[in-house]
Amino acid sequence: MSRVYNFSAGPSMLPEAVLRKAAEEMLDYEGSGQSVMEMSHRSKIYGTIIQGAESLLREVMNIPDNYKVLFLQGGASTQFAAIPMNLMTKNKKADYVITGQWAKKACAEAKKYGEVNVVASSADKTFSYIPKLDPSTFSKDADYFYICMNNTIYGTVYHELPDTGDIPLVADISSCILSCPIDVTKFGVLYAGAQKNMAPAGLTVVIVREDLIGNAMDITPTMLDWKTHADNGSMYNTPPCYTIYMAKLVLEWIKNEVGGLDKMYELNQKKADLLYNFLDNSKMFRGTVVPEDRSLMNVPFVTDSEELNAKFIKEATEKGFVNLKGHRTVGGMRASIYNAMPYEGVKALVDFMAEFEKNNG
Ligand SMILES: *Cc1c(COP(=O)(O)O)cnc(C)c1O
């Protein structure tokens, strides 16, 4: 068996220990004589899995009791509509900050349901920075304030949160969930597609303050109303059973093998520092994001030549560094170095980049 270093933005690498455990338990989960894939979601044994996943997530992320954790389907993209339907109900108004494609899509969806105020955007420079926010430009009567915390495509992250006072802050944390500690109390809603940093595709996690549940618009489909799922322990219908099980294994790995989110954050900083330091000292490669807003998870970089970019990607792939091609709107390369990417993987990539620079400089 030979495994590659997979720098995909998502779905992405899972910790090898997690994959091994899943393989071990594939045919017979804890003496049940069944795979988790085959179980009734109403069975007692599956109940221990979904409850275990929730309590681990609460523990690892330090989620207060007045927040509900929902395990849903439909991807982060379905929440682009669920958020306005559940929240844009008092003044029918919301503030959005546009820091990339995902925020733009979420904003476009919200416009179907109410008045949207775009507070700031970094579109002028291909989303290579997080705009400075001036609270005097925020709507005083917004039902919520929306940000995309880590911008997967462009490689930026908020190091400082907007001060929205009593207005609930809503954040898409699809590509940074579990990468570092987050103060959940600062948010009304946090949500994430699991396939970047948490589990295989198929699961969306929504963490929502209890007082924000139960006010959905009348037109809201039953399946998009957070209350439906909060009232039924994410079991109104069949949940993404196996993906929830995988998320539980990943959470056990973070808690027991890594040692929690502080440790995870340290490791992620070490990996990102290695790559950014190389980029800052290279004469051939450079990062595309302003240093103060750099993401720890997604690192876009370029050379000055399309030809060289293509050659680099081709040779890297041959060496087992796969999925390094950048998003079509940025070009060049992007290395996604989520939790499951080991330090050795980033080290090997940097060594390869140095060699490539020497041979082609
Ligand atoms: C990948 C991604 C999405 C889209 O997620 P889906 O689960 O495919 O809908 C949304 N937001 C961010 C920040 C992402 O990285």
Side-chain angles (χ1 to χ4, degrees):
M1 184 192 74
S2 117
R3 283 178 55 81
V4 294
Y5 287 121
N6 179 5
F7 293 90
S8 169
S12 39
M13 280 184 81
L14 286 160
E16 194 169 308
V18 165
L19 294 174
R20 286 186 188 282
K21 173 100 170 147
E24 226 173 78
E25 296 183 330
M26 179 59 75
L27 295 182
D28 178 9
Y29 177 76
E30 294 194 350
S32 66
Q34 307 160 59
S35 170
V36 175
M37 289 187 191
E38 303 170 302
M39 282 174 187
S40 163
H41 62 293
R42 308 275 178 210
S43 64
K44 206 168 157 194
I45 190 158
Y46 189 74
T48 65
I49 293 173
I50 191 167
Q51 283 150 24
E54 180 176 338
S55 61
L56 272 163
L57 185 67
R58 285 185 176 279
E59 183 185 343
V60 168
M61 284 187 71
N62 199 13
I63 301 171
D65 288 342
N66 64 326
Y67 285 74
K68 292 281 188 201
V69 171
L70 311 178
F71 293 134
L72 309 179
Q73 304 195 53
S77 302
T78 296
Q79 295 306 312
F80 295 170
I83 287 159
M85 283 182 164
N86 281 273
L87 298 180
M88 230 183 205
T89 54
K90 281 200 202 99
N91 298 318
K92 309 208 175 321
K93 199 189 266 191
D95 283 356
Y96 276 70
V97 182
I98 308 300
T99 50
Q101 304 261 345
W102 298 121
K104 212 157 111 185
K105 284 184 173 162
C107 179
E109 204 67 22
K111 283 179 180 164
K112 297 179 182 174
Y113 304 100
E115 189 188 330
V116 170
N117 171 33
V118 173
V119 169
S121 164
S122 49
D124 61 333
K125 289 181 182 157
T126 328
F127 302 113
S128 57
Y129 68 104
I130 299 286
K132 295 276 168 288
L133 299 176
D134 171 6
S136 75
T137 62
F138 300 178
S139 307
K140 302 284 172 290
D141 55 348
D143 290 327
Y144 63 94
F145 189 105
Y146 184 98
I147 60 169
C148 180
M149 185 100 99
N150 184 80
N151 295 278
T152 325
I153 296 173
Y154 303 95
T156 60
V157 70
Y158 285 79
H159 289 293
E160 201 182 314
L161 293 174
D163 181 3
T164 62
D166 289 338
I167 293 171
L169 183 60
V170 176
D172 178 353
I173 55 168
S174 293
S175 50
C176 59
I177 189 167
L178 301 175
S179 67
C180 61
I182 292 182
D183 182 355
V184 176
T185 64
K186 295 240 169 359
F187 298 87
V189 182
L190 288 163
Y191 75 102
Q195 69 274 20
K196 312 285 162 63
N197 216 11
M198 204 178 176
L203 167 67
T204 311
V205 173
V206 177
I207 301 162
V208 50
R209 215 174 59 208
E210 272 166 359
D211 62 289
L212 300 174
I213 297 174
N215 318 305
M217 296 175 182
D218 291 340
I219 58 159
T220 308
T222 305
M223 281 294 291
L224 293 195
D225 188 339
W226 294 330
K227 187 170 178 357
T228 303
H229 303 286
D231 286 350
N232 290 282
S234 300
M235 290 268 209
Y236 171 77
N237 69 327
T238 319
C241 298
Y242 194 77
T243 310
I244 291 169
Y245 158 75
M246 288 297 291
K248 178 171 177 276
L249 295 186
V250 168
L251 288 160
E252 282 167 357
W253 174 78
I254 292 174
K255 183 186 162 189
N256 302 324
E257 304 296 314
V258 177
L261 286 189
D262 286 319
K263 272 277 171 350
M264 193 79 251
Y265 184 39
E266 250 175 61
L267 278 168
N268 285 328
Q269 279 176 313
K270 217 172 127 206
K271 289 185 304 189
D273 280 352
L274 185 65
L275 184 48
Y276 285 123
N277 278 337
F278 174 81
L279 290 170
D280 289 345
N281 289 300
S282 167
K283 292 195 169 59
M284 177 179 282
F285 299 100
R286 68 187 158 78
T288 57
V289 169
V290 299
E292 61 272 24
D293 297 328
R294 286 169 166 175
S295 163
L296 292 185
M297 297 282 100
N298 311 97
V299 184
F301 58 94
V302 294
T303 71
D304 288 329
S305 137
E306 283 303 325
E307 233 181 308
L308 217 48
N309 290 346
K311 186 166 190 257
F312 174 78
I313 291 162
K314 180 168 176 291
E315 289 183 19
T317 308
E318 285 163 9
K319 293 257 159 135
F321 305 105
V322 305
N323 289 316
L324 279 168
K325 195 170 170 18
H327 191 269
R328 60 189 183 282
T329 57
V330 182
M333 284 69 71
R334 171 178 49 170
S336 293
I337 49 175
Y338 296 116
N339 287 352
M341 173 60 69
Y343 181 82
E344 300 76 60
V346 180
K347 176 80 175 66
L349 174 67
V350 164
D351 289 347
F352 172 70
M353 289 168 78
E355 190 190 308
F356 184 90
E357 181 166 349
K358 203 169 93 208
N359 296 341
N360 296 275

